[in-house]
Amino acid sequence: MVSLGLEGARAVVTGGTRGMGAATVRRLVDEGARVVAIARNAAPVPAGVHLVTADLSTADGVEAAAAAALDHLGGLDVLIDNAGQNSPVPAGVLAADDEDWRVNLDTNLLSVVRLDRILVPHLVAQGSGAVVHVSSGAARSPQPNAIPYAAAKAALNAYSTGLATAVGPHGVRVTGVLPGIVENTESYARAAADTGRTVEQIRADLLARLPVPLGRIGTPEEAAEVIVFQASPRASYLTGILVPLDGGLLASR
Ligand SMILES: NC(=O)c1ccc[n+]([C@@H]2O[C@H](COP(=O)([O-])OP(=O)(O)OC[C@H]3O[C@@H](n4cnc5c(N)ncnc54)[C@H](OP(=O)(O)O)[C@@H]3O)[C@@H](O)[C@H]2O)c1
C-alpha cells in the first residue's frame, strides 16, 4: 500500500472510541501516526493510542481534553473533529424547545469551534497541519425529526469553509465530510430494542427512507479511508471542501 505520509504525525481524533472515529484511529495507527482519542467514556483503544475522557459538549471538557492531548503529543499535525450526535425531536421542529436546540448546537457545533479555537493556533504557528470536520449530509437534506441537528451541522459546514479561508495562508488545510448512512450497530440495536424490530429491519427501514444509490449502508472503514486521506499530505492541495460520503445519496436528492 502507498504510504499517506502520516508516519509520526501527531493526531487527535474526537469520538475515537466507536464508529467512524474508532475506524479513523485504527487507520491512523496503521499509517504510523501517534494518536490521542477523545470520548466521554473509557473504552478499549488500539495499542499505543492515548485515550482522553472528556465531554466535548462543555467548554470545560474541551479545555481539559485539549490540554491533555497537547501534553501527551507535545504538539499537533492532524485534528479530526468527529464527535457528534443527533438528539432528535420526534414531535418536529416547532416542538423543539431551547434545550433541544442547545444540546444539538453544543454537541455538533460549539464542541468543534471550541476545540479548534484552542488547537488550530498550534497548527497556524507551525505553518502546517490538517483539520477534518465530520459533518452530515443532513445539513443539506434535513430529516423532519432532526432539524436542530441538521442546522447545527449546516452551521458547522459554513464554519469549516470560513476557517479554511482564514487559515489557508498559514499552511493549514480544513476539509469536511458529509456522511449519509454509515453503520452504527449500537444505535441500530437501541432502535431495535425500542421498537421490537430486528437490527436487520432497522437497517432495511433506513435504506427504504433514504435510498442510497449504491444500495447499502457505508462502513466506518470506508469513511475512515476518506477522512484520513483528506488529513494526509497526499491531499496537500485540498482545502475548503465538504465531501459527500454517502454512496451517492445527496446526488440523488
Ligand atoms: N453514522 C452515521 O450514519 C452518521 C451520518 C451522518 C453524520 N454522522 C456524524 O459522524 C460522526 C460520528 O458518527 P458515528 O455514527 O460514527 O458515531 P458513534 O458510533 O455514535 O460514536 C460517537 C463517538 O463520539 C463520542 N462522543 C459522543 N458525544 C461526545 C461528547 N459530547 N464528548 C466527547 N465524545 C463524544 C462517543 O463516545 P462516548 O459516548 O463515550 O462519548 C463515540 O466515541 C458524528 O459527528 C455524527 O453526527 C454519522
Side-chain angles (χ1 to χ4, degrees):
M1 196 188 297
V2 180
S3 158
L4 291 178
L6 287 165
E7 180 84 41
R10 299 158 298 180
V12 168
V13 181
T14 72
T17 57
R18 291 199 306 275
M20 283 180 258
T24 299
V25 167
R26 292 193 295 273
R27 191 68 186 80
L28 285 166
V29 168
D30 286 349
E31 288 294 325
R34 293 178 55 214
V35 184
V36 166
I38 303 173
R40 288 167 301 185
N41 301 291
V45 288
V49 171
H50 182 67
L51 178 67
V52 170
T53 55
D55 182 353
L56 296 174
S57 70
T58 71
D60 288 351
V62 170
E63 265 183 47
L70 286 174
D71 186 48
H72 183 78
L73 294 172
L76 191 69
D77 302 294
V78 166
L79 173 58
I80 314 288
D81 285 297
N82 160 77
Q85 192 173 326
N86 177 13
S87 297
V89 187
V93 64
L94 293 179
D97 61 19
D98 282 2
E99 183 59 12
D100 295 318
W101 280 96
R102 191 194 59 73
V103 166
N104 278 289
L105 288 165
D106 279 349
T107 306
N108 297 290
L109 174 66
L110 288 177
S111 56
V112 179
V113 170
R114 288 172 177 145
L115 189 63
D116 288 1
R117 201 163 55 204
I118 300 174
L119 294 182
V120 173
H122 291 267
L123 304 179
V124 167
Q126 74 188 2
S128 67
V131 180
V132 182
H133 291 157
V134 179
S135 180
S136 173
R140 294 194 181 157
S141 184
Q143 296 294 298
N145 68 347
I147 288 172
Y149 169 73
K153 292 290 198 182
L156 175 62
N157 292 352
Y159 163 65
S160 299
T161 50
L163 181 66
T165 306
V167 300
H170 304 282
V172 179
R173 298 184 301 103
V174 181
T175 61
V177 292
L178 308 175
I181 318 174
V182 177
E183 176 69 22
N184 185 327
T185 313
E186 290 191 15
S187 95
Y188 304 162
R190 274 196 305 277
D194 288 350
T195 58
R197 299 168 73 79
T198 65
V199 168
E200 264 322 304
Q201 283 169 327
I202 297 294
R203 289 196 185 98
D205 288 351
L206 264 175
L207 285 172
R209 196 156 43 82
L210 299 168
V212 175
L214 286 183
R216 63 180 176 81
I217 289 172
T219 68
E221 288 72 24
E222 288 173 309
E225 203 64 45
V226 177
I227 292 166
V228 173
F229 170 73
Q230 286 180 205
S232 80
R234 294 267 164 190
S236 52
Y237 204 53
L238 285 188
T239 197
I241 58 156
L242 302 166
V243 176
L245 192 43
D246 64 358
L249 185 60
L250 274 177
S252 70
R253 292 169 82 83

